[in-house]
Amino acid sequence: MAPSWWGRGSGGVSNVGGTPVVVKMENPNWSISEVEAEVAPGSPAGAGKVGRGKNARQITWVLLLKAHRAAGRLTGAAAAALAIASAARRRVAAGRTDSDVAPGENTALRTRFYGCIRVFLVLSLLLLAVEVAAYLQGWHLEAPSLLAVDDLFTASYAGWMRVRLEYLAPPLQFLTNACVVLFLIQSIDRLVLCLGCFWIRLKGIKPVPQAAGKADVEAGADDFPMVLVQIPMCNEREVYQQSIGAVCNLDWPKSNFLVQVLDDSDDATTSALIKEEVEKWQREGVRIIYRHRVIRDGYKAGNLKSAMNCSYVKDYEFVVIFDADFQPQPDFLKRTVPHFKGKDDVGLVQARWSFVNKDENLLTRLQNVNLCFHFEVEQQVNGAFLNFFGFNGTAGVWRIKALEDSGGWMERTTVEDMDIAVRAHLKGWKFLFLNDVECHCELPESYEAYRKQQHRWHSGPMQLFRLCFVDIIKSKIGFWKKCNLIFLFFLLRKLILPFYSFTLFCVILPMTMFVPEAELPAWVVCYIPATMSILNILPAPKAFPFIVPYLLFENTMSVTKFNAMISGLFQLGSAYEWVVTKKSGRSSEGDLIALVEKHSKQQRIGSAPSLDTLTKESNPEKDSKKKHNRIYRKELALSFLLLTAATRSLLSAQGIHFYFLLFQGVSFLVVGLDLIGEQVE
């Protein structure tokens, strides 16, 4: 039987005027359910309507409850706004902004760039005030020639409309059309890459290796080539143990590989710890050498160049490079080196990266989407169909002869890996990409570290393009390979992509709100970017729920990439900045289990250490340092600019443009206040 509180006459039912209303008190919102009154037999047909008409008190209750619900939502929005304002106040009070730079760092470009955005923001605020006043007067609906010139303001607005129509709209529309064409070309390139990846999967295309030695256990050391393993590092206190340990555990005859730990640290304590770790592995029988440079010329390129000048390098056929946070699997060499056998024209075998902290925070999830597309699609397709791609700087095996034939490592750019790859390609060497061989590494967990990494990755290619353009033209490679290098590899993917991303979505789109005579189609703002984002996220399907944040964040990063591209193209001071990406020293669970097994074999007496103990050993507690966030002025200025343009779009009923500007402005605001990723020390 139904409970009594569902029946008539219960305390929770109002029975005013014959129309009961059930009111459920649910904090903070009240929900209302109206029950139609029953008409007694023999009553007039309109009795119910008459009764309902007398329900003034009921209508009042409904309106009050709806107002309460709306107030609750407004309160939540106000609380969120106050939280953001409080975070901004704390960051301003802390005095930490992106203007706090290292000694000697050139900030002229970023200062001028920020100044231009700030001027643009001030002008947009003034124009917004003018447009609001004109909207209230209804002038936005009339042609400038029809406005009655009653006062100075009316005449000024009519003149502004004529200037917009005759002088501002045509060049803005031309720039818009040009950027749309570039956007479409880049989108077609991305679509072709995705189709190539689909074809590779459909046909099962992948490099086929030959055995490194005999399949039986009796294969001797003579069946394995000599391999040199290099670990360049600089103040890598958080990760040196796990990287050295992973390399020393590679499954390869001990007599046939040598490990070089190339330490560029300027911190004496860190250098001492790294040297002690090397000596520990030397006592265990591993052929490992510690090298420390006092003069750190050329950063990583100079470090590698110095190591390759050692006299014993001539005894080795291949060299493998692992950055300090990379942890190769024990069978890494057995799965990569055999691809060189019988292929004398192969100069590089590149393995894929996988990330131990891809689910750490929103920032690492978005980076994982980007890099999965880079390896799964870009590197794999270019390797399968062109035998060329940009060397990733680590987790790759080089034929030493190819390095020497290409001129060796050079310190002329901040992307020494791309430099050596381009020069080797011009010499006719082929590259292989192994999508099924993975090497664990870390992603930057703070926006500050990611921002500096992206600046180097996007300024270096422009430096390199200036330096090697003439060499590409004069080289003996085929015409189509030259076109691929110049137009696809450099111009389209390294220059045009950051240019139109910033110009189209951060400059042109806000300007079209204040100059509505120039139009940006909705399909450019919404449909094409959404389609490209779906294609980008396909290699990482688990990240599909983050497709909207990914699209917004990529546009947000365009300001950093555009700034870096300009500095590299025109050889400005910031193009030569090199900041080592901050590591956290995370290890995957598989690595820790391998450490357990290793310790259990070494320690026959006593129990093996626990997983928690090894976690503490592999990730030693760092000195307690106060962490902080920064304020990024360019991102904040662009946030206010986009939000101002979103407000202006409401006056013209712009539809999808308003939502894009609103969400993109919020995205810039979140990044500008450093509310994405971890704090930095």
Side-chain angles (χ1 to χ4, degrees), residues 243 246-247 250 322 326-332 438-440 591:
S243 61
V247 169
L250 288 172
F322 295 109
F326 277 71
Q327 306 162 42
Q329 298 296 321
D331 62 349
F332 181 88
E438 297 184 358
C439 189
H440 295 310
D591 298 328

Side-chain angles (χ1 to χ4, degrees), residues 318-628:
F318 303 103
V319 59
V320 191
I321 302 169
F322 295 109
D323 281 352
D325 60 315
F326 277 71
Q327 306 162 42
Q329 298 296 321
D331 62 349
F332 181 88
L333 293 179
K334 287 189 174 180
R335 299 181 66 185
T336 54
V337 175
H339 287 273
F340 290 96
K341 190 173 183 180
K343 305 172 185 176
D344 295 335
D345 57 347
V346 173
L348 168 67
V349 173
Q350 173 72 58
R352 178 177 177 160
W353 301 357
S354 61
F355 311 103
V356 298
N357 60 339
K358 62 182 179 181
D359 297 323
E360 185 65 25
N361 54 45
L362 179 60
L363 178 62
T364 58
R365 291 177 185 271
L366 299 180
Q367 292 179 67
N368 181 58
V369 173
N370 235 348
L371 290 172
C372 281
F373 182 87
H374 170 69
F375 287 108
E376 183 88 11
V377 180
E378 292 180 341
Q379 298 290 76
Q380 186 173 206
V381 171
N382 289 327
F385 296 106
L386 300 175
N387 293 123
F388 168 73
F389 47 81
F391 174 45
N392 294 116
T394 177
V397 185
W398 275 96
R399 192 189 295 271
I400 294 180
K401 182 179 179 181
L403 287 178
E404 295 173 346
D405 184 45
S406 306
W409 298 104
M410 293 185 179
E411 308 98 322
R412 56 181 184 173
T413 71
T414 56
V415 284
E416 76 295 328
D417 45 7
M418 185 181 295
D419 186 3
I420 190 66
V422 170
R423 286 185 280 118
H425 181 57
L426 296 181
K427 291 291 185 177
W429 292 97
K430 295 181 179 180
F431 302 166
L432 297 179
F433 178 76
L434 307 181
N435 191 55
D436 56 345
V437 180
E438 297 184 358
C439 189
H440 295 310
C441 63
E442 286 187 26
L443 291 166
E445 296 182 8
S446 69
Y447 178 69
E448 175 70 11
Y450 180 63
R451 184 169 175 259
K452 290 179 178 179
Q453 180 197 71
Q454 292 300 304
H455 185 278
R456 177 166 55 87
W457 284 6
H458 286 81
S459 64
M462 290 297 98
Q463 301 174 41
L464 180 60
F465 181 63
R466 288 172 54 100
L467 294 171
C468 69
F469 177 75
V470 176
D471 294 334
I472 296 174
I473 297 298
K474 293 181 178 179
S475 66
K476 297 180 180 180
I477 61 175
F479 173 77
W480 292 112
K481 290 186 176 181
K482 292 181 181 180
C483 292
N484 172 68
L485 266 179
I486 295 175
F487 295 107
L488 291 181
F489 186 76
F490 279 112
L491 292 182
L492 185 61
R493 298 168 189 166
K494 302 298 188 298
L495 188 149
I496 291 177
L497 177 58
F499 170 77
Y500 86 73
S501 296
F502 173 75
T503 307
L504 191 61
F505 297 111
C506 300
V507 177
I508 292 178
L509 181 57
M511 289 182 66
T512 57
M513 298 299 102
F514 297 101
V515 186
E517 292 81 5
E519 297 182 356
L520 186 61
W523 57 269
V524 176
V525 177
C526 178
Y527 305 121
I528 298 296
T531 303
M532 292 300 104
S533 298
I534 292 174
L535 293 178
N536 277 17
I537 215 165
L538 285 179
K542 292 183 179 179
F544 193 81
F546 302 96
I547 185 171
V548 174
Y550 170 75
L551 172 61
L552 297 174
F553 183 69
E554 280 301 294
N555 289 335
T556 304
M557 284 302 301
S558 65
V559 59
T560 297
K561 296 175 181 179
F562 178 83
N563 191 20
M565 182 268 292
I566 293 297
S567 66
L569 187 63
F570 296 102
Q571 298 291 288
L572 302 177
S574 60
Y576 296 96
E577 296 174 8
W578 182 291
V579 180
V580 177
T581 304
K582 186 68 176 175
K583 315 293 193 312
S584 62
R586 301 189 186 276
S587 295
S588 63
E589 185 177 350
D591 298 328
L592 296 177
I593 293 174
L595 283 175
V596 171
E597 296 174 351
K598 178 177 181 297
H599 278 262
S600 64
K601 291 179 180 179
Q602 292 178 348
Q603 300 176 354
R604 299 295 182 182
I605 302 176
S607 59
S610 64
L611 197 63
D612 294 336
T613 304
L614 287 174
T615 303
K616 293 178 181 179
E617 290 180 2
S618 59
N619 298 304
E621 293 184 2
K622 295 173 283 190
D623 298 334
S624 57
K625 297 180 181 179
K626 186 177 181 181
K627 294 185 176 183
H628 63 270

